Each structure stands twice: as structure tokens, then as C-alpha cells.
Amino acid sequence: MADELKPVLELLIAAPRGFCAGVDRAIRIVELAIEKHGAPVYVRHEIVHNKFVVDTLKAKGAVFVEELDQVPDGLPVVFSAHGVPKSVPAAAAARGLSYLDATCPLVSKVHRQAERLVAAGRHIVFIGHAGHPEVVGTFGQVPPGSMTLVETIADAETLVPADPDTLSFLTQTTLSVDDTAAVVAALRRRFPAIQAPRGEDICYATSNRQAAVKAIASSCDALLVIGAPNSSNSLRLVEVAERQGVPALLIQRAADLDLDWLVGIGTLGITAGASAPEMLVRELVERLAERYEVIEREEETTRETIAFKLPRELDAAA
Ligand code: SF4
């Protein structure tokens, strides 16, 4: 009887959303490392930027630290999906630590491109966000001074390279597709000889999730993104919605949502960043269903089938 009094809220759920193949693989690496070596297994940096994932792995025996010198001698350590500078595995090897690298293969691909370009005498313009661990890791693949960070169009407009004829650009994998295109356009206009990467550096998961939000935005009064405040790809999803004129909010868990934010909203879009598990989407829908008569609809823009292989040493444990 009480249900009849609930207001109706239509939920338009974007697909693809949530976990990507790189996040799936990184989490599996930590789980299998715990199975193989026993707890504790140390993880340098959050394995992926999601508190729920980190807390779940902590409960299974993972210990998260920011630096390698916090890992005790003799215990295994996993490097996060964002990638690490070369100095980190080198320091682990020097200490005789057993380590597993959970760097997403699509980030590793950018690392290898950076090395090849520098070996070929190119100077790299790297489009990314200062301080993000992926950017720190990519800069750490090449000697200091061989890569310059560009974050914005303004940076591209004021860049003064030593030799404009030897420039190549690479990008972080989790950027805004539209913002990056604008930065690249500014670079190409100023430096017509600049070389582009062989393939797109922004990864399939980042671009698919942004396209899925664009596809539902015009049908939504507001959009919720489930993700962490330090998750680059989640923050970009908020921006994509806002640029389509749709108010958007990033929340980590359903309990974070102030239901007053939904006043006047008939259709609510929902998505999740690449490091947020589907369980958090279901938790949100359940919370909304306590207050509203929810009508769920999913709009799928593309189907993802990508899966990445585990490191060989863990294959047998899988
Ligand atoms: Fe890899 Fe992209 Fe997922 Fe990052 S968001 S882990 S680059 S697939």
C-alpha cells in the first residue's frame, strides 16, 4: 500500500559502465597473489582508485602503502594498475622483493611508445594531469627532460620546445576525448610537424563510458556517477554530462547521496567509472527504490568483450 505513495523516478543506466578489463585484471592479480603467497601481500598505491575495492582487498589480506620502502623485506608487492616509474621495479629487484606488476596493458603500451620515441630522438609532449600516478609512471619510463607535460589548451599555446621538428605527442589513457582533441588541435596548429601516436592512447573503456553518457544525457534531468574523487575517468564522466547541460554528481557510495538533490528530477542517469564495481550501482538503485517507484532502463551504446591475460606466474593459480 505504501508503495502506491512513492513518486516515480525513471533510471536511465548507461552501458558500458563500471569495471574495465584493466581494473578486473589488477584486482585479480592481488587476489591471486594472496592465494599464492598467503597474506599479507603489499600493494603500492591503491590498486585501482576505488575505496570499496581497496577495503574488500584489505579484508582479504592486502596491505596498501604509498612507497616501496614501506614494504617489509621478504614480502611480495603488487604495483597498481596506473603503472610505476622504472625506478620502482628496479628498487624492488635491488631489495630482492618479489613483485607483480598490475599495470594495465594499455598503460604499458604508452610506456613502450614513450621509450621508442625517445630512443628515436623525439621529444614527447605528454597530455595528462599533473600528479596523477599514471602520469608519474609514464614520465618515469624515459630520462628526465625528454617529456613535457601539457594539461590544457593554454599550455599547448605557450609551449616553447627546443626543436619543434622533433615533437611527438602521447596522452594519459583516461582523459576527456573532447578536451584532448582540442589540445591536440592547438598543438598541430602550432607545430605542424608533431607526430601522433600510432593508435589512440585514450583507452577503449574511457572513451566508451564517455560516449555512453553522451548518448543518455539529453534524456536525463540529472546524472549520478559512481566513482572516487581521485578517479580520473570518473571525473571526466561528470564533465561530459555537465557539458551537455545536465547537472551531474560524483558519489562513492549510495549512502553519500543527499536525496534532496533529486527534487524535481523525473529521469535520472546513472553510470560508474572504470574502477567502480557493479555492486555499487545496484546498491544505489536499491537506495533509490526505498524512496521512489523506480523504473529502470539501460541504454547500451557498445558491448565490450576485451579481457587481458594475467601475468604468466599467476596463470597457473587462476
Ligand atoms: Fe586500462 Fe583504461 Fe581500465 Fe585504465 S581505464 S585500467 S587504461 S582499460
Side-chain angles (χ1 to χ4, degrees), residues 131-251:
H132 188 279
E134 182 185 328
V135 176
V136 174
T138 304
F139 268 70
Q141 303 304 307
V142 292
S146 45
M147 206 184 271
T148 304
L149 184 66
V150 160
E151 293 190 81
T152 60
I153 296 177
D155 290 347
E157 295 292 357
T158 51
L159 182 70
V160 185
D163 181 358
D165 293 331
T166 63
L167 292 182
S168 295
F169 74 86
L170 295 174
T171 84
Q172 192 177 330
T173 57
T174 51
L175 298 181
S176 152
V177 171
D178 296 338
D179 285 356
T180 306
V183 173
V184 168
L187 289 171
R188 285 191 198 280
R189 183 176 45 72
R190 290 198 60 220
F191 312 110
I194 195 167
Q195 286 183 358
R198 274 193 219 150
E200 180 62 71
D201 288 339
I202 296 177
C203 77
Y204 79 97
T206 296
S207 44
N208 285 349
R209 278 150 194 69
Q210 289 175 20
V213 166
K214 274 189 189 170
I216 63 168
S218 61
S219 310
C220 300
D221 301 315
L223 180 110
L224 286 175
V225 179
I226 300 174
N230 58 344
S231 161
S232 173
N233 81 86
S234 303
L235 293 167
R236 304 294 81 80
L237 295 175
V238 172
E239 289 171 3
V240 166
E242 286 175 342
R243 284 184 193 166
Q244 309 280 316
V246 179
L249 195 65
L250 181 74
I251 56 168

Side-chain angles (χ1 to χ4, degrees), residues 9-291:
L9 181 66
E10 191 180 356
L11 304 181
L12 195 45
I13 305 184
R17 63 178 175 277
F19 274 8
C20 60
V23 163
D24 224 25
R25 174 178 180 272
I27 293 169
R28 198 73 194 114
I29 287 174
V30 178
E31 289 171 341
L32 289 172
I34 295 169
E35 274 175 37
K36 183 176 171 186
H37 299 282
V41 163
Y42 278 71
V43 183
R44 185 188 174 279
H45 194 66
E46 290 185 338
I47 186 73
V48 300
H49 287 156
N50 187 276
K51 186 177 180 316
F52 176 83
V53 169
V54 166
D55 287 345
T56 304
L57 290 173
K58 273 185 191 166
K60 292 180 179 176
V63 177
F64 291 86
V65 294
E66 278 310 307
E67 295 303 336
L68 204 59
D69 55 20
Q70 295 167 272
V71 180
D73 285 337
L75 289 179
V77 59
V78 179
F79 304 142
S80 79
H82 315 95
V84 288
K86 277 188 170 179
S87 56
V88 173
R95 280 184 55 197
L97 294 177
S98 142
Y99 66 84
L100 284 157
D101 190 356
T103 303
C104 176
L106 299 181
V107 174
S108 299
K109 187 190 83 176
V110 179
H111 288 180
R112 300 293 75 78
Q113 285 189 87
E115 279 187 311
R116 275 197 299 268
L117 288 169
V118 170
R122 313 290 302 177
H123 182 86
I124 300 169
V125 177
F126 191 78
I127 306 169
H129 298 296
H132 188 279
E134 182 185 328
V135 176
V136 174
T138 304
F139 268 70
Q141 303 304 307
V142 292
S146 45
M147 206 184 271
T148 304
L149 184 66
V150 160
E151 293 190 81
T152 60
I153 296 177
D155 290 347
E157 295 292 357
T158 51
L159 182 70
V160 185
D163 181 358
D165 293 331
T166 63
L167 292 182
S168 295
F169 74 86
L170 295 174
T171 84
Q172 192 177 330
T173 57
T174 51
L175 298 181
S176 152
V177 171
D178 296 338
D179 285 356
T180 306
V183 173
V184 168
L187 289 171
R188 285 191 198 280
R189 183 176 45 72
R190 290 198 60 220
F191 312 110
I194 195 167
Q195 286 183 358
R198 274 193 219 150
E200 180 62 71
D201 288 339
I202 296 177
C203 77
Y204 79 97
T206 296
S207 44
N208 285 349
R209 278 150 194 69
Q210 289 175 20
V213 166
K214 274 189 189 170
I216 63 168
S218 61
S219 310
C220 300
D221 301 315
L223 180 110
L224 286 175
V225 179
I226 300 174
N230 58 344
S231 161
S232 173
N233 81 86
S234 303
L235 293 167
R236 304 294 81 80
L237 295 175
V238 172
E239 289 171 3
V240 166
E242 286 175 342
R243 284 184 193 166
Q244 309 280 316
V246 179
L249 195 65
L250 181 74
I251 56 168
Q252 301 211 60
R253 296 290 295 262
D256 299 342
L257 177 64
D258 174 359
L259 291 176
D260 288 347
W261 192 75
L262 299 176
V263 171
I265 286 168
T267 302
L268 177 68
I270 296 178
T271 188
S275 39
E278 181 63 13
M279 177 260 160
L280 299 184
V281 175
R282 298 320 311 166
E283 179 187 75
L284 174 62
V285 173
E286 278 162 30
R287 172 148 193 243
L288 294 170
E290 288 168 12
R291 163 84 69 101

